[in-house]
């Protein structure tokens, strides 16, 4: 049910309708699962309705500019300070920096990850492919694959090291967070800010996909500049959960990622017990099919920045901590040229996740990685067609992928080099390009 109150929307939800969403990103919201749970006129009172306690969750420094400040007040059944001692968890393929292997000037490509034979949940099914930077430096990024056959039971996960961008490829996920519930499927993404605890439930028998872990500045919408007020990813298309809570007394394991390691502690209740919240820090999701693609209508191939979806800024000249570009179904139009990119060597690392359709003969679920100044571009067949064909406007109907760019070189892991299926022939796509030079 929904109530209007003093210039904002106050939403109440039971667990039965807890997948109701609010729209927006970067704005202030407030939501309550029990009417009257939100205090009026004071963010952190000592006495809250229903016997709740107040707790501040801050995702940026207190003095951050107002437009970029991210914090929320949670009104919960029990304070988060009530938990058992942390113990270091056993080593897994879910790695964090420092990465040991040297970065290499190679074109990498991996095929889809096969489902595991055992019963494995989201956290235990996580494995790191490549990364750089560290939580200690608060810069860089790590890229992981997940492959799960079971929902998390009596277990929650939180990541103090980095913000998590979750990209499903196969199977849907139900993310039960402290702030409410998000359901995502292939073609959607979700972002869980640092420190927020959540449980992952499978909506299908198997779930596979990817997680991009951001150690740098929180993701935000890029500026639109001359594009104007609309286009690319529009604020109204981001979905935020309404409050939903668990009042559960029983054993729950909290797996906490901190300082590059996983830590476990035992709790005697569910920490997903937030009855109401207000603020500007929250998880959110986005449907990639809502992306408003921009393009050129005259000549040449536009820079990939024209497809920017979200950004974690770093250096305005050398490049971002990382950017996310949404390559979605779209019209491609241009005079006197085929609209494939030319050959290029960039000052940034590029990595691509193919979710749907065709790209370089790869299967959906494949990942490519190209480190800075490593040459790449169209394959021999495409390059030949680009030179010889008489091309006009065309519509790309069935392509969905995410292109990531970061200023930092990436380092691969043992999992990527020995377990994840490798597309060994990937670099051979350029072998057939003939020498055409003729004086």
């Amino acid at each position: 049910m929904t109530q209007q109150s003093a210039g904002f929307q106050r939403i109440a939800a039971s667990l039965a309708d807890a997948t109701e969403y609010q729209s927006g990103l970067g704005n202030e919201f407030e939501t309550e699962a029990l009417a009257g749970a939100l205090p009026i006129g004071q963010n952190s009172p000592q006495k809250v309705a229903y016997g709740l306690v107040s707790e501040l969750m801050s995702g940026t420094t207190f003095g951050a500019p107002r437009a970029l400040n991210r914090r929320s007040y949670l009104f919960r059944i029990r304070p988060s300070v009530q938990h058992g001692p942390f113990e270091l968890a056993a080593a897994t393929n879910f790695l964090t920096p420092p990465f040991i292997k040297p970065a290499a000037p190679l074109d990498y490509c991996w095929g889809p990850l096969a489902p595991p034979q055992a019963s494995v949940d989201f956290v235990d099914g996580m494995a790191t492919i490549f990364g750089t930077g560290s939580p200690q430096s608060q810069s860089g990024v790590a890229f992981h694959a997940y492959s799960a056959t079971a929902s998390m039971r009596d277990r929650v996960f939180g990541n103090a090291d980095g913000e998590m961008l979750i990209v499903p490829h196969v199977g849907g996920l139900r993310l039960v967070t402290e702030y409410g519930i998000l359901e995502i499927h292939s073609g959607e993404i979700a972002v869980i800010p640092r420190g927020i605890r959540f449980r992952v439930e499978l909506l299908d028998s198997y779930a596979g996909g990817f997680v991009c872990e951001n150690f740098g500045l929180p993701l935000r919408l890029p500026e639109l500049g001359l594009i104007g007020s609309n286009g690319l990813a529009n604020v109204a298309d981001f979905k935020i959960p309404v409050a939903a809570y668990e009042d559960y007394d029983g054993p729950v394991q909290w797996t906490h990622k901190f300082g590059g390691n996983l830590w476990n502690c035992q709790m005697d209740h569910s920490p997903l017990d937030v009855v109401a919240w207000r603020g500007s820090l929250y998880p959110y999701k986005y449907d990639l099919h809502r992306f408003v693609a921009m393009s050129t209508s005259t000549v040449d191939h536009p820079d990939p920045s024209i497809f920017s979806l979200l950004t974690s800024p770093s250096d305005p000249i050398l490049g971002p901590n990382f950017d996310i570009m949404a390559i979605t179904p779209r019209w491609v139009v241009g005079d006197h040229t085929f609209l494939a990119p030319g050959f290029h060597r960039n000052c940034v690392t590029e990595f691509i996740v193919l979710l749907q359709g065709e790209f370089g003969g790869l299967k959906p679920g494949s990942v490519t990685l190209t480190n800075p100044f490593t040459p790449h571009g169209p394959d021999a067949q495409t390059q030949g067609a680009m030179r010889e064909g008489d091309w006009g406007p065309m519509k790309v109907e069935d392509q969905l992928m995410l292109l990531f760019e970061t200023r930092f070189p990436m380092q691969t892991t043992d999992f990527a080099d020995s377990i994840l299926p490798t597309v060994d022939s990937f670099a051979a796509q350029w072998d057939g390009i003939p020498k055409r030079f003729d004086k």
Side-chain angles (χ1 to χ4, degrees):
M1 61 187 167
T2 303
Q3 299 173 332
Q4 296 294 330
S5 177
F8 55 78
Q9 189 177 60
R10 175 171 290 184
I11 298 178
S14 66
L15 285 175
D17 63 353
T19 51
E20 182 182 357
Y21 303 118
Q22 305 179 75
S23 296
L25 182 63
N27 300 319
E28 294 269 345
F29 289 99
E30 60 179 30
T31 168
E32 56 186 9
L34 292 175
L38 279 169
I40 297 175
Q42 190 174 8
N43 280 325
S44 186
Q46 294 302 310
K47 187 175 182 180
V48 186
Y50 301 106
L52 301 174
V53 295
S54 63
E55 183 176 284
L56 172 64
M57 185 88 176
S58 58
T60 55
T61 183
F62 300 120
R66 181 175 296 188
L68 301 176
N69 203 299
R70 298 289 179 266
R71 84 285 177 272
S72 288
Y73 286 90
L74 313 179
F75 304 95
R76 59 193 319 143
I77 297 173
R78 303 168 187 80
S80 293
V81 293
Q82 293 184 331
H83 62 80
F86 281 103
E87 297 181 355
L88 189 63
T92 70
N93 284 321
F94 185 10
L95 305 174
T96 53
F99 294 104
I100 298 174
K101 293 192 173 186
L106 301 174
D107 288 289
Y108 297 93
C109 184
W110 298 276
L113 184 62
Q117 298 298 315
S119 178
V120 178
D121 68 18
F122 176 82
V123 175
D124 291 338
M126 190 90 65
T128 307
I129 306 175
F130 51 80
T132 192
S134 70
Q136 286 80 5
S137 68
Q138 296 191 347
S139 68
V141 63
F143 194 73
H144 319 281
Y146 68 84
S147 186
T149 56
S151 296
M152 294 169 64
R153 300 295 183 191
D154 300 324
R155 186 185 193 187
V156 297
F157 176 71
N159 190 341
D161 286 346
E163 181 180 46
M164 298 181 72
L165 170 76
I166 302 174
V167 184
H169 168 239
V170 177
L173 300 178
R174 192 170 194 250
L175 309 177
V176 185
T177 80
E178 293 182 88
Y179 288 68
I181 298 171
L182 295 171
E183 289 187 359
I184 54 172
H185 302 266
S186 181
E188 297 180 307
I189 61 172
V191 174
I192 308 293
R194 288 172 56 197
I196 292 178
R197 292 171 291 189
F198 62 101
R199 180 176 68 241
V200 179
E201 299 174 356
L202 272 56
L203 299 177
D204 301 283
S205 59
Y206 170 69
F210 305 94
V211 172
C212 195
E213 185 182 10
N214 174 24
F215 304 130
L217 290 174
L219 287 166
R220 61 181 188 240
L221 288 170
E223 299 299 331
L224 291 177
L226 294 176
I227 292 175
S229 58
N230 297 292
L232 306 183
N234 290 320
V235 170
D237 291 325
F238 288 83
K239 304 301 181 184
I240 297 159
V242 300
Y245 67 93
E246 292 181 339
D247 186 8
Y248 169 71
D249 294 315
V252 174
Q253 177 179 277
W254 172 13
T255 299
H256 191 51
K257 187 168 181 293
F258 182 85
N261 295 296
L262 297 182
W263 299 79
N264 290 326
C265 79
Q266 301 303 316
M267 307 182 67
D268 60 5
H269 63 276
S270 171
L272 310 180
D273 64 353
V274 177
V275 178
W277 61 265
R278 64 158 56 101
S280 55
L281 178 74
Y282 36 70
Y284 55 89
K285 77 169 194 172
Y286 179 77
D287 183 349
L288 296 174
H289 295 93
R290 292 182 176 269
F291 187 77
V292 181
M294 300 292 180
S295 187
T296 178
S297 59
T298 53
V299 298
D300 218 335
H301 184 81
D303 292 329
S305 53
I306 204 168
F307 299 106
S308 292
L309 168 62
L310 292 166
T311 181
S312 168
S314 180
D315 188 282
I317 306 300
L318 295 177
N321 187 62
F322 80 102
D323 282 348
I324 310 167
M325 272 66 75
I327 313 299
T328 63
R330 65 205 180 278
W331 277 98
V332 286
V333 181
D335 293 338
H336 314 300
T337 181
F338 177 61
L339 294 177
F343 299 107
H344 49 289
R345 292 179 293 164
N346 293 345
C347 66
V348 294
T349 296
E350 297 179 11
F351 51 100
I352 291 174
V353 175
L354 179 62
L355 298 173
Q356 177 183 308
E358 295 290 332
F359 178 72
L362 301 179
K363 296 179 180 179
S366 298
V367 177
T368 70
L369 168 66
T370 304
N371 268 322
F373 296 108
T374 297
H376 54 292
D379 59 77
Q381 181 179 355
T382 302
Q383 201 264 349
M386 181 171 57
R387 292 176 59 90
E388 306 300 333
D390 183 14
W391 299 96
M394 59 183 177
K395 189 173 185 180
V396 179
E397 298 276 8
D398 189 39
Q399 188 182 71
L400 190 64
M401 60 185 183
L402 292 178
L403 166 63
F404 299 80
E405 288 189 350
T406 173
R407 60 181 290 202
F408 303 110
M410 293 288 121
Q411 299 166 261
T412 60
T413 64
D414 288 332
F415 171 81
D417 295 340
S418 61
I419 300 175
L420 193 65
T422 302
V423 181
D424 294 323
S425 61
F426 183 65
Q429 64 181 306
W430 300 297
D431 292 346
I433 300 175
K435 177 182 178 180
R436 296 186 174 92
F437 178 68
D438 185 354
K439 294 183 181 179

